[in-house]
Amino acid sequence: MSTQKHAFQAEVAQLLHLVTHSLYSNKEIFLRELVSNASDACDKLRFEALADPSLYGEQPALEIRIAIDKDARTLTVTDTGIGMSEAEAVAHLGTIAKSGTREFMGKLSGDQKADAQLIGQFGVGFYSGFIVADRITVESRRAGLPPEAGVRWVSTGAGDFEVEAITRAERGTSVILHLREDALDFADGWRIRELIGKYSDHIALPIKMEGEQWEDGQEEGQPGRMVKTGEWETVNQATALWARPRKDITDEQYVQFYEQTAHDWQPPLAWTHNRVEGSTEYTQLLYIPSHAPMDLWERERKAGVKLYVRRVFIMDDAEQLLPRYLRFVKGVVDSADLPLNVSRELLQESRDVKAIREGNTRRVLGLLEDLAKAEPAEAPPAEGGDDKAAAPRDKYAAFWREFGAVLKEGLGEDHANRERIAKLLRYASTTTDTPTVSLADYKARMKEGQKAIYYITADTLAAARNSPQIEIFRKKDIEVLLMTDRVDEWALSHLREFDGTPLQSVAKGAVDLGDLQDEAEKKAAEEAAEHVKPLLDRLRAALRDQVEDVRVTTRLVDSPACLVVKDGGMSTQLARLLKQAGQPVPDTRPVLEINPEHALVRKLADSPRFDDLAHILYDQALLAEGGLPEDPAGYVRRVNALLV
Ligand code: ADP
Ligand code: MG
């Protein structure tokens, strides 16, 4: 039998260093991680055995056993789950496959509490064993392989590990921690029971420990001690929480269950738990997390809802159970109707799944509506250090801050619920920098004669707020919603109106303030337009490669010019984003609108440098909305020529 040495993947070595050096004051989390791996391993076996029941062999029970050997100073976590072959042990316990790991490294802050949460989120759980162990031995045998195909993996957590073939009678895995001197308090049965109660009570598998009892010293004066009784006792609740009636479950138990299933150690914002009866029967326990995971925007991101069928775990990331725009939701769905051998393909076609998905969507939207109702209108921002759970009244603001941009995708994705989603939207506006303005709030404040809900999209709040396009709105004290999420423009293209009032981008089309403009203003504008006609022609000629048209506007107050796109056209901001992302962009040119009252515009007509000034006007309008001149050096040259 030969032993083979393997080096850890560089990232693992780095991670190990961080784990052991940054988590020493939060040691106990290792147990939670190892139990969660053991539980995952049992779930995997259960799932594979649906197709091949012989995998259970002569050991049908799925369970976790924790054993302590005080003399050897070891703590062993054993499971009867799927196990690992030698190749799997090398691959899974020597590398980090997850793409987010590099990001994880960057996020480590040195704040132990925050870092401990990250460890769980990134699934680097196994290595947390090295917080308390100076050596870890893993012995395993994969389900379906013979006893001689066992593997032993040993490492001190420094640079490399060794593997050798062993004979192992039992299927599954034992993780043996050789406890460090300063972690010997974990070699105590009561301490471990306490930690299981804290972290792993609702693992839906029995976690067993050997019973202990007190034995007096044999002779006078000799101290007594705890001895093992030889009986294995289940030390956790081991029931599926969601299957119990709501009234029997405390808030603490709900939170704890969330932490275990979602691998998120920050309490959730809210949850909803229901047994749904009728033509499709299922139980849903769905949570809204209090903070966004780092991979929320990754396209490959896994969905957060686990699917069970009659308490049997089927799959982890059942994306069919909720629409994509609710991908932040975590939790469990347990169906009474689906077959146990349901595949992903089958899920896609199942009518039951469709009903569950619709039911889940309604519940989550209802939950969000409740949170929004509890919120004071125009809540003050809940910013800064928020490791405290959000106060009940700040919950919707917290939700919106973390997930609002995702929810907006629903406008385009879920037409059936578009109105409900529209009511949940919140934006910053010219009246407030915090995104707290609902469309209903806006409507309630609309001016006499105002016929549209006005909004502007920009890269940043400052750019939106200072955009030339909204000058006239500011002057007339008309509120404009300021939108700065990438998704806004696309999302709004699916929401043409709210409650009978059209939504109108102030950067699209000619501005028509309708009844908000008085007769005198309209007349003055017409006269000005007549007056500058020759100037417009000259500008059109000078800028024919840059713009679609040049026209006069009344929307500008302090700025000489701005760019707008034709009604229904793609905004220059979106076009820029797409271009940055390497996407094809339709070749549409903007319209240059000029302010005939502005001194610069007046000067233009008689200037000997007409061509240069025209280009400066255009480039500055581009700059004002966050764009860049096509020829930055040319721009600088022209401006400098003017300066000297
Ligand atoms: P994660 O659990 O998020 O995948 P871990 O670092 O906790 O990350 O575990 C790494 C991998 O090691 C697991 O994905 C799994 O393949 C393997 N593994 C760990 N513990 C066990 C176990 N008890 N039984 C089988 N495989 C395991
Ligand atoms: Mg894990």
Side-chain angles (χ1 to χ4, degrees), residues 295-494:
D295 56 354
L296 188 62
W297 297 103
E298 272 174 33
R299 291 203 58 80
E300 304 308 314
R301 178 186 150 66
K302 294 190 169 177
V305 178
K306 293 183 202 278
L307 175 65
Y308 286 74
V309 171
R310 293 182 291 282
R311 317 279 168 81
V312 177
F313 171 81
I314 303 296
M315 65 182 76
D316 240 338
D317 47 332
E319 66 271 340
Q320 319 298 339
L321 299 178
L322 276 173
R324 263 191 65 76
Y325 74 95
L326 297 179
R327 62 184 175 275
F328 51 83
V329 172
K330 307 265 177 161
V332 170
V333 165
D334 191 342
S335 157
D337 308 310
L338 291 170
L340 278 175
N341 60 354
V342 64
S343 64
R344 283 182 198 274
E345 292 68 41
L346 217 79
L347 278 185
Q348 252 155 14
E349 279 140 35
S350 157
R351 282 183 45 222
D352 287 317
V353 171
K354 191 161 176 277
I356 293 175
R357 175 188 172 103
E358 284 167 6
N360 285 346
T361 305
R362 275 196 302 274
R363 278 291 174 183
V364 172
L365 292 177
L367 189 57
L368 293 175
E369 284 158 2
D370 291 345
L371 290 184
K373 241 176 262 161
E375 197 80 358
E378 315 265 309
E383 272 170 297
D386 42 17
D387 42 9
K388 297 179 276 353
R393 286 166 71 81
D394 293 338
K395 280 188 180 177
Y396 195 71
F399 161 76
W400 189 255
R401 191 172 60 233
E402 296 292 320
F403 302 111
V406 183
L407 190 72
K408 287 171 185 172
E409 295 172 12
L411 291 175
E413 234 176 84
D414 188 355
H415 295 191
N417 287 302
R418 193 186 292 155
E419 280 185 19
R420 287 182 81 174
I421 298 168
K423 288 186 186 143
L424 290 167
L425 300 172
R426 298 291 182 274
Y427 296 104
S429 89
T430 39
T431 64
T432 170
D433 270 351
T434 52
T436 49
V437 180
S438 70
L439 295 175
D441 293 339
Y442 182 101
K443 272 199 75 167
R445 291 198 287 255
M446 271 170 44
K447 286 262 178 313
E448 186 79 25
Q450 184 177 345
K451 295 208 172 64
I453 297 173
Y454 293 109
Y455 68 90
I456 183 164
T457 56
D459 292 345
T460 64
L461 208 54
R465 184 174 282 295
N466 299 319
S467 152
Q469 280 104 338
I470 68 170
E471 285 172 3
I472 186 69
F473 295 88
R474 191 188 297 286
K475 186 176 163 199
K476 292 194 166 287
D477 199 24
I478 299 168
E479 184 168 12
V480 177
L481 298 175
L482 309 177
M483 306 192 179
T484 53
D485 276 332
R486 282 171 174 233
V487 64
D488 278 323
E489 168 131 5
W490 174 82
L492 267 269
S493 69
H494 295 275

Side-chain angles (χ1 to χ4, degrees), residues 37-38 40-41 44 79 83-84 92-93 98 123-126 173:
N37 284 351
D40 289 349
K44 280 181 203 157
D79 64 71
M84 284 175 274
H92 297 155
L93 307 180
K98 309 232 167 74
V124 288
F126 171 76
T173 305

Side-chain angles (χ1 to χ4, degrees), residues 190-205:
W190 295 108
R191 175 101 166 92
I192 297 299
R193 279 166 202 244
E194 176 201 74
L195 290 178
I196 292 192
K198 181 167 169 192
Y199 291 121
S200 311
D201 212 20
H202 297 294
I203 294 278
L205 286 171

Side-chain angles (χ1 to χ4, degrees), residues 595-611:
N595 174 2
E597 309 291 329
H598 199 278
L600 197 67
V601 175
R602 291 194 189 161
K603 229 176 166 174
L604 195 57
D606 317 316
S607 169
R609 297 176 181 275
F610 182 87
D611 224 58

Side-chain angles (χ1 to χ4, degrees), residues 67-89:
I68 293 167
D69 185 335
K70 282 202 166 107
D71 300 327
R73 298 179 163 190
T74 59
L75 175 75
T76 303
V77 179
T78 298
D79 64 71
T80 56
I82 191 75
M84 284 175 274
S85 65
E86 184 167 329
E88 286 170 325

Side-chain angles (χ1 to χ4, degrees), residues 100 103-104 107 118 121-122 292-298 301:
E103 205 182 341
F104 162 74
K107 287 265 179 177
L118 287 174
Q121 274 181 48
F122 274 84
M294 268 161 251
D295 56 354
L296 188 62
W297 297 103
E298 272 174 33
R301 178 186 150 66

